[in-house]
Amino acid sequence: MAKYWASSGVDLHLELDPAPGRRRAVEDALRAAVRDGRLPPGTRLPSTRALAAGLGLARGTVSAAYDQLAEEGYLTTRPGSGTEVADALPPAPAPIGSPAAAGPPRPIGSPAAAGPQPVHDLRPGQPDVSAFPARAWVRATRHVLAAAPADVFGPCDPRGRIELRTALAGYLGRTRGVRTTPDRIVVTTGFVQSLNLLAEALGEGPFAMEDPGHDFYREVLRRAGRAIVPLAVDEQGARTGDLTSGVAAAVLTPAHQYPTGVPLAPARRRLLRAWGGPVIEDDYDGEFRYDRRPVGALQGMAPDQVVYCGTTSESLSPALRLGWMALPPALVGPVAEAKLHADAHTGVLGQLVLARLVDVHDYDRHVRAARLRYRRRRELLLARLGPGPAAPLPGARLPGVTAGLRALLLLPPSGPAESAVLAACERRGIALRGLSPLRQTPGPGGLLIGYAAPSERAFPAALDALADALTWATAERSAINAENPDNSGVPG
């Protein structure tokens, strides 16, 4: 019969199988609790006397079990500090006949490797989380907890706390040219939730989305029951003149089109006003323009037509789950109702801490520092991969304005193919994105290279690895063309 133990000092739940013997039963139960995460690293265990008394066993039996697990690396025992779960656990034994039992795992980058962590993380859309302003966040959290009124810990307006909505109205007005008021802002958990709420609140019909554009957001809207109409993009941004009356809304990235990097031309902005339908403006990285002042938000031109969406995902961290919408008056009620039934409201403490960061300008200081840091990285990327006699991929182009947290490298028509370059990157442990999945209609291949995620120290090595992958893919393609002269100039 299984035995259980708990004490008022250190609560613990163990199930002992008496079949293998008492000491072995204690070992197996503790080992299983550590392995499945019920006893995480650093957990302090009860004394051998207390555990033995609770289980009705001899103290020597429990002491022997502790000693065995310490030898195996599951526990650590320090004189005067008791026994704790080890910080680094020994590898779990692999089942006989499994690939792991046959030998060491394949190296990172191997096509057969199952989900390895990249050596060089150049995925787009990710900030340098090592530069998160932790001290400022802690200061703001302490202030909020000390000064917060009692109602902070009660139900929240589905639109969000008034403190954050007020801070955002001022900040967005002075930095992005957004024309709004606190009562027209709804706080969300990010752009994905904003899209879902708008899909529910807006009238029937398909959504127009840029082509190429963010494939994940297309899937979000499809899952919300919306059909997608491709809206072609050229060197002037989305072709807004192609919008028709049957479209329920147009989702655009006008300040810095994702992924081509071009801003929406003034004439295309005016065509949106003439179209007259709802516009969802994704200002995902509008604060990061490096060659001049950022382009003002589209919403400032038509606040009664454009829904302005922003988040902290690229400015601070995606882990915070904080986003916002500045809405036309007619949409505030329907969106707030949809938010109420989606999750009631966004987490309050994070809202108040962000409001404090904005109010005391710590948020501005962090964005300015990040802007300088990311500008230096972009310059390094252009110098390493841009056109010139030492370019690792001759004929490749880096279009778009100098902005954002990623660059688009368009591959030359003569190759190498996008798939070949991605394979070369994978073999070197480089994580980035190809352009093809972002297209709704076929077009030239390319790479989306994020330059924000690596730390300052790791970024140069990541660029070197990428340049090596491009050089290797170019040489391989040249060799194929030399062997098959009739196929040269045709990507494969």
Side-chain angles (χ1 to χ4, degrees):
M1 181 177 181
K3 287 190 176 183
Y4 305 91
W5 176 86
S7 81
S8 59
V10 180
D11 289 339
L12 186 64
H13 172 86
L14 291 180
E15 295 187 14
L16 302 187
D17 180 1
R22 294 180 178 182
R23 192 193 79 177
R24 176 70 178 275
V26 176
E27 293 173 11
D28 290 347
L30 285 171
R31 192 183 292 109
V34 172
R35 277 286 171 205
D36 64 21
R38 290 187 292 114
L39 292 179
T43 300
R44 184 170 181 177
L45 298 185
S47 67
T48 56
R49 184 187 302 275
L51 183 55
L55 293 174
L57 300 175
R59 184 181 180 186
T61 300
V62 176
S63 295
Y66 275 17
D67 290 343
Q68 177 63 29
L69 293 176
E71 290 182 10
E72 294 179 11
Y74 286 93
L75 305 180
T76 58
T77 302
R78 300 183 181 90
S81 300
T83 302
E84 297 179 351
V85 178
D87 292 334
L89 301 182
I96 295 175
S98 70
R106 295 178 182 268
I108 290 176
S110 167
Q117 289 297 313
V119 178
H120 306 291
D121 191 351
L122 296 176
R123 288 173 290 189
Q126 300 186 82
D128 180 0
V129 294
S130 69
F132 180 81
R135 291 183 179 178
W137 190 267
V138 169
R139 284 197 306 269
T141 301
R142 288 174 175 166
H143 174 86
V144 164
L145 291 175
D151 69 349
V152 163
F153 305 102
C156 179
D157 186 327
R159 294 175 298 171
R161 288 290 305 188
I162 185 61
E163 294 90 341
L164 179 56
R165 290 187 283 122
T166 301
L168 286 173
Y171 175 79
L172 297 174
R174 64 181 167 82
T175 63
R176 303 296 297 120
V178 172
R179 296 161 55 191
T180 191
T181 55
D183 61 302
R184 291 170 58 175
I185 291 178
V186 171
V187 179
T188 69
T189 59
F191 187 63
V192 169
Q193 185 177 59
S194 297
L195 270 185
N196 275 308
L197 297 178
L198 291 167
E200 182 176 343
L202 289 168
E204 295 182 358
F207 276 45
M209 299 193 76
E210 297 164 327
D211 182 21
H214 210 302
D215 54 337
F216 181 72
Y217 296 152
R218 290 200 301 268
E219 183 61 23
V220 167
L221 287 174
R222 288 193 178 106
R223 287 174 176 263
R226 296 287 184 162
I228 304 299
V229 175
L231 188 61
V233 173
D234 58 25
E235 65 278 359
Q236 298 185 61
R239 295 175 55 176
T240 53
D242 295 344
L243 290 168
T244 64
S245 58
V247 172
V251 184
L252 303 176
T253 50
H256 187 225
Q257 200 276 328
Y258 187 93
T260 65
V262 299
L264 189 63
R268 300 279 175 88
R269 294 181 173 226
R270 291 192 290 270
L271 286 172
L272 278 175
R273 289 297 305 271
W275 173 60
V279 177
I280 301 170
E281 178 178 12
D282 178 10
D283 196 34
Y284 66 101
D285 64 0
E287 294 154 315
F288 297 108
R289 181 79 186 253
Y290 311 123
D291 55 347
R292 60 180 179 84
R293 291 182 61 83
V295 176
L298 180 67
Q299 190 268 2
M301 181 186 74
D304 294 335
Q305 180 188 4
V306 178
V307 178
Y308 176 89
C309 299
T311 78
T312 59
S313 292
E314 296 199 3
S315 59
L316 285 172
S317 164
L320 298 179
R321 308 310 304 138
L322 284 170
W324 49 84
M325 288 185 281
L327 294 154
L331 283 176
V332 174
V335 169
E337 183 75 10
K339 172 68 174 174
L340 174 65
H341 290 92
D343 61 358
H345 60 80
T346 302
V348 169
L349 182 58
Q351 293 188 54
L352 293 174
V353 173
L354 179 59
R356 175 68 179 175
L357 290 180
V358 174
D359 287 341
V360 300
H361 304 301
D362 278 341
Y363 186 74
D364 293 71
R365 283 186 279 272
H366 171 74
V367 169
R368 286 198 298 271
R371 192 182 293 135
L372 291 173
R373 185 166 58 252
Y374 296 151
R375 178 180 179 175
R376 289 195 298 267
R377 297 190 190 185
R378 184 179 177 92
E379 290 172 348
L380 284 173
L381 186 148
L382 293 176
R384 193 75 173 86
L385 306 181
L393 184 53
R397 295 189 298 114
L398 287 158
V401 294
T402 305
L405 275 63
R406 49 109 191 110
L408 172 63
L409 185 74
L410 285 176
L411 302 178
S414 58
E418 181 182 301
S419 58
V421 177
L422 291 174
C425 290
E426 184 181 3
R427 287 192 291 270
R428 289 158 178 80
I430 305 168
L432 39 66
R433 286 215 71 186
L435 177 60
S436 297
L438 308 183
R439 294 189 181 278
Q440 300 180 67
T441 54
L447 304 175
L448 265 72
I449 307 166
Y451 46 78
S455 67
E456 291 285 289
R457 292 176 57 188
F459 185 62
L463 277 184
D464 289 342
L466 178 57
D468 179 66
L470 294 173
T471 300
W472 184 91
T474 302
E476 184 181 61
R477 182 61 189 175
S478 298
I480 293 173
N481 289 342
E483 293 178 3
N484 303 278
D486 293 339
N487 294 330
S488 60
V490 179

